[in-house]
Amino acid sequence: MLSYRMKNMISWFLLAIAGVLILYWGYQKSHESKMIRIATASKGGYYYQYGTLLKRYIEKKTDYTVQLLVTRGSVDNRGKLLAGEADFAIVGTNSVSLQNLYMVAPLWRDYMHLVVRKNSDISSLADMAGNSIALGKPGSGYRAQSMKVLDHFALEAEQFRSNDVYFTQLLSDASLEGAIVTTGLLNPDLRQVMASGLFRLVSLEGAEGYALNHSQLTTAKIPSGVYSTVAGPAPAESVETIVTYAVMAARPGLPEKMVQAVLDQLNSDQVRADAPVMLDINPTEDPVLRYLPLHSLSNRYYNPFVGLDNFSRLLGQIAEHKVLILEGLIIFVVVVVQLSQLRRRRIEQVRVNLAAELESVFRQTVEIERNQKDARDWRLLKQYLVEVMRLKQQAVTLVQGSELAESMLFLSTIQQCADVMRQLEWRLSAMQLSEAARQEVDAARSLVSE
């Protein structure tokens, strides 16, 4: 068993830890950033354009400010999230892995465009080999998608000349025959290229088989007439291709309030009205997105079960305030320990006081025993007897309901009282007999004298 001193030291140590945690929590809250860093892509792409739209509404509707990071694309964005250089990022799900990251919300579908010049003889991906084809800059989602599709069709990047340039170079470099561009249908740079009327789109042959080999891909068609060109809407007919999802990803450890601010605006009517390509789907039910790690706050948002949603929200609140909850638990434990110690001290003090009173009764009984030996007056002995009886009753009353009722001190006191009472009763009886004998002698003498 721990000593009282050790228990007291432990309780104060726990209280000190709670104090440190409270200071740490306060420091965290006071230094909680009001800046949201969102990694996008190059300024001419739709990722950046959408980031600009989102920035406007976040800053308008919340107390956060937004910093847009110009990057090379999805691969670069993932690296910035993992390095803590960005809080959120727009990434293509088939371009990068979301391991150690979280999806906050799906945004739109990115379509793979095989762009070639109108006067080119290229009619398929295989025909592109041997030509100057822009596959995207290193670190971009464009290039990651291009490398995957080339690998599937047994093609090498070295078979494509000038392949590490951005596709807008098609407008300034006549030697560039085409590009592989995986992006949303509202990409400003792609729309600018197509608006020139100098380019056409080629179908991706075997798109269905290619999508079957990648969990984050599905097949789709680029709608006819989606791009406005000087020669009229293009393409003239829908084009078979594959699509992947662009999603908003977040790094771990973000304050839930920050994630909520972004999630609210991502799903607001104003943002959706200004970004008509945004998806209206539940990622927990989508056959592609349901396998991606979803942020706990997003999971609560999209979860259709209200009861589970409330429970999940509670868990989220606990997770967000875990330091404060831990502090509260420590303080509660310390308070309970201190109250317990105080109660024990009070009980011990009561026991000590009772023991002192009981010891006083014992000493008084011993004193009476000593004094009665020299007493010769029966009236004094009678007084001693009454006093001992009172002391005995006092001892019984003192220990009633306490642990002292079985103590050696109480038993010795009761025994001492009993012994003194027997001595007094014996002496009183002896005195009564002596007095009776004396009276008989006096009576006999009276008769003789008569």
Side-chain angles (χ1 to χ4, degrees), residues 116-123 174 176-178 197-200:
V116 298
R117 294 189 178 274
K118 268 192 173 181
N119 57 1
S120 171
D121 295 331
I122 298 174
S123 60
L176 199 59
E177 290 292 322
L198 302 175
F199 303 93
R200 58 188 173 87

Side-chain angles (χ1 to χ4, degrees), residues 403-423:
E403 59 183 19
L404 287 176
E406 298 180 1
S407 67
M408 287 300 299
L409 178 59
F410 173 67
L411 296 177
S412 298
T413 301
I414 295 299
Q415 184 63 45
Q416 177 67 17
C417 289
D419 290 343
V420 175
M421 287 170 63
R422 280 196 298 271
Q423 293 177 34

Side-chain angles (χ1 to χ4, degrees), residues 40-41 45-52 74 77 90-92 108 110 183 246:
T40 57
Y46 189 62
Y47 283 18
Y48 185 85
Q49 185 183 69
Y50 181 79
T52 303
S74 293
N77 289 351
I90 303 173
V91 299
W108 55 80
D110 280 338
T183 186

